[in-house]
Amino acid sequence: MTRFAAAAFALSALLQGTAAQTWCGKNYMASSPVVPPGGQFPIPATSSKPLLALRCAPVIKPYLPEDVSAPAGFIIDAPITNLQVENAVPIDLPAHGLLGELAVTIKVNGHTLAEGPIALNASKAELPFSLKSLKPQSNAYDVECSATYSAPGSKSKPQTFSAQTTLSYLPTPPDGRSVTKMDLRTGALMAKPATGKGGAYETVFPVGFYTDFGGYLATNLSVIDEIKAQGFTVIHPIPTFDNLTALAEVVQRMEEVGIYLMYDMRWTYMNSTAVTQEVNRIKNSPALLLWYTGDEPDGTSDPLNATSIAYDLINSLDGYHPVSLVLNCENYYWTQYTAGTDIVMQDAYMIGLNATWSVEWNTSCTPDYGDCGCDNCKGEFEDISTRMDEFAERRFVDGWELSKAMWTVPQGFGGSEYWSRVPTGKEFVVQSVLAINHGALGVVSWSAPTTDDITASAAALSRSLVTMKDFILNPSAKFEHASVNRVDVGLWTVGGRTLVLATNLNYAEAHFDLSSVGGGLALKALIPRQVLDSGAKLSGHVITLESVGTGGFILGL
């Protein structure tokens, strides 16, 4: 339980009609019995024969008429696996030699849009097509992706496979409405400047905070100027928005300074009338980057279809901006809640935490019982990377690796409830970079205002991402991950340059030898440039990291 006091949760539970005081489906009151919560993500069965799990998706969501003169594309995944994941079917492979290729065809309404060969085990292979044969429409096109396979040298009948996806090709938005596109090759967001005064689409790596509205943003608009000047890229105002005049003034000032809006409907997303009003009120703002619906809906056991109902409604009203939500539970109806989003966030808060004994409820915490503030956590930084990795694995099992992105919510608070202290600025950066190294494409912390130390460290991270995003969000980047003695390292190589992002999970100095990764990185020929310094230095081929230190370096010729 993270966003409100226990009494407030008990009240909201009654108002929402939940059956009992539970969190992540678990009883947590000392007087309550231990009852397994259920809702665990199923472990895929294993096949004795190889399986092909064909997946396809458009490169960009949505396409617009402005894109018609440039090549569009579909991306194809063709993993061979023994896990019985979504859309995995048996494939007869040769016992020896080359595997050969798939002949892939992509059709809309019986018309072939794209076709070409794709290697087996390909990841995010692209097939180009032209939008000229299609008309923009408000509803997504249903797309049929089919593939045939003949093993080299085989005289057997070709095998056939299929997958379905949708193609969003929307009309030019009315009234100059902003558009946020997703590059599904990476999951990155692309948007024009938040001022609405024109400019090209650019990739956006959001860094910012869930930010107090009524007692902070709405009472002093100059705060928005300060946030922009510090280098943050997004503000996520925390509802309720009872004063609509103040809300309009906040959004207008965000447009004026050019910072993006993440609009939160946590208290209203299950009310279709309220969602309709809010979407229609905000959707034309050039500052709008994305919507946000469920705030830990798995924790409060919201109806399992609630996020999907809201998602469909928002897309029927807008369709030009992605939808996000945050999940708090480690493993509670993940598929059902994640079905209703484009971006799934995780918020494992592990600083100053007793992960096995609830200081709020005086009970133990187990996989079946209790609430310690971080569900099924150990109280260490690895809770974050484990959560990110689990989300990524489930995304693959459900067939969503081409359609849903992942963000992270670092802990920027403490000193109350389950958390005995506030993280330091360096700990904040460790939380953020660890998640980035494990797939996070956005960093939005709970919550602001926070300490000067966290604010300064978060701002430094955001400013560094102006440079680092050209690697992390680049579709052509080759990624490598390494972890040695609790030093977590991500490497993104684009052309002849490599971004190295290293973070130390230890509360003691640590070292990382770059000659062990990236094929040695031809270190003698590379010139280092440090782009993030949160307690790290590079000397020769060794990165020295202070206690919970983090560093970002670009190595290039």
Side-chain angles (χ1 to χ4, degrees), residues 91-110:
I91 183 171
D92 295 326
L93 299 174
H96 305 285
L98 297 175
L99 294 179
E101 298 176 322
L102 295 167
V104 175
T105 302
I106 298 174
K107 293 184 177 182
V108 170
N109 297 331

Side-chain angles (χ1 to χ4, degrees), residues 188-344:
L189 301 187
M190 300 186 299
K192 293 182 178 180
T195 59
K197 296 180 180 179
Y201 286 97
E202 294 185 359
T203 55
V204 180
F205 198 113
V207 180
F209 288 84
Y210 294 77
T211 306
D212 179 71
F213 176 73
Y216 189 56
L217 293 175
T219 59
N220 186 358
L221 294 178
S222 66
V223 168
I224 298 170
D225 303 59
E226 295 171 8
I227 294 170
K228 172 65 176 181
Q230 288 165 334
F232 293 107
T233 49
V234 67
I235 297 175
H236 182 140
I238 302 169
T240 58
F241 305 130
D242 297 328
N243 186 333
L244 295 182
T245 299
L247 176 62
E249 291 172 348
V250 166
V251 173
Q252 181 179 352
R253 179 60 68 91
M254 292 177 67
E255 295 168 2
E256 291 168 354
V257 305
I259 192 166
Y260 293 110
L261 167 67
M262 187 172 182
Y263 187 79
D264 190 323
M265 292 181 279
R266 70 180 62 202
W267 301 119
T268 55
Y269 87 96
M270 288 187 282
N271 181 325
S272 61
T273 300
V275 169
T276 299
Q277 292 172 344
E278 292 187 75
V279 170
N280 287 335
R281 182 182 301 127
I282 298 296
K283 66 184 181 182
N284 289 327
S285 171
L288 177 63
L289 186 68
L290 74 166
W291 306 105
Y292 180 90
T293 57
D295 186 79
E296 303 176 340
D298 51 345
T300 49
S301 296
D302 289 358
L304 297 182
N305 62 351
T307 61
S308 292
I309 291 172
Y311 181 86
D312 292 342
L313 176 58
I314 292 168
N315 276 283
S316 71
L317 297 167
D318 175 42
Y320 294 94
H321 302 88
V323 177
S324 64
L325 55 78
V326 68
L327 297 183
N328 180 256
C329 307
E330 183 266 333
N331 191 2
Y332 187 67
Y333 291 108
W334 189 90
T335 296
Q336 288 83 350
Y337 291 118
T338 304
T341 194
D342 299 299
I343 297 164
V344 57

Side-chain angles (χ1 to χ4, degrees), residues 52 54 76-80 91 99-104 116-127 149:
L52 171 66
L54 184 69
I76 311 295
D77 272 6
I80 301 297
I91 183 171
L99 294 179
E101 298 176 322
L102 295 167
V104 175
I118 297 295
L120 283 173
N121 258 336
S123 176
K124 300 182 180 179
E126 294 186 42
L127 289 178
Y149 175 69

Side-chain angles (χ1 to χ4, degrees), residues 39-215:
Q40 280 72 49
F41 192 86
I43 298 174
T46 301
S47 169
S48 60
K49 296 182 179 181
L51 308 172
L52 171 66
L54 184 69
R55 282 92 187 262
C56 57
V59 169
I60 300 297
K61 177 185 178 182
Y63 282 111
L64 300 175
E66 66 190 19
D67 301 313
V68 73
S69 60
F74 284 94
I75 42 179
I76 311 295
D77 272 6
I80 301 297
T81 179
N82 287 100
L83 297 177
Q84 294 182 354
V85 300
E86 178 68 22
N87 205 42
V89 294
I91 183 171
D92 295 326
L93 299 174
H96 305 285
L98 297 175
L99 294 179
E101 298 176 322
L102 295 167
V104 175
T105 302
I106 298 174
K107 293 184 177 182
V108 170
N109 297 331
H111 171 69
T112 298
L113 282 184
E115 56 186 346
I118 297 295
L120 283 173
N121 258 336
S123 176
K124 300 182 180 179
E126 294 186 42
L127 289 178
F129 77 99
S130 173
L131 290 166
K132 293 180 180 178
S133 61
L134 300 174
K135 292 183 178 180
Q137 60 182 41
S138 57
N139 295 325
Y141 285 96
D142 292 324
V143 178
E144 178 73 23
C145 306
S146 61
T148 59
Y149 175 69
S150 296
S154 173
K155 297 181 180 179
S156 301
K157 182 180 178 180
Q159 302 169 71
T160 60
F161 308 88
S162 65
Q164 287 73 43
T165 189
T166 58
L167 171 66
S168 181
Y169 180 30
L170 297 178
T172 300
D175 306 320
R177 187 184 310 174
S178 69
V179 180
T180 300
K181 299 181 180 182
M182 288 186 71
D183 185 337
L184 297 183
R185 295 170 295 183
T186 62
L189 301 187
M190 300 186 299
K192 293 182 178 180
T195 59
K197 296 180 180 179
Y201 286 97
E202 294 185 359
T203 55
V204 180
F205 198 113
V207 180
F209 288 84
Y210 294 77
T211 306
D212 179 71
F213 176 73

Side-chain angles (χ1 to χ4, degrees), residues 22 36 57 147 231 315 335 338 360 403 410 414 420 432 449 469 475 493:
T22 64
N315 276 283
T335 296
T338 304
E360 287 286 292
S403 59
S420 62
S432 303
K469 73 182 180 73
T493 298

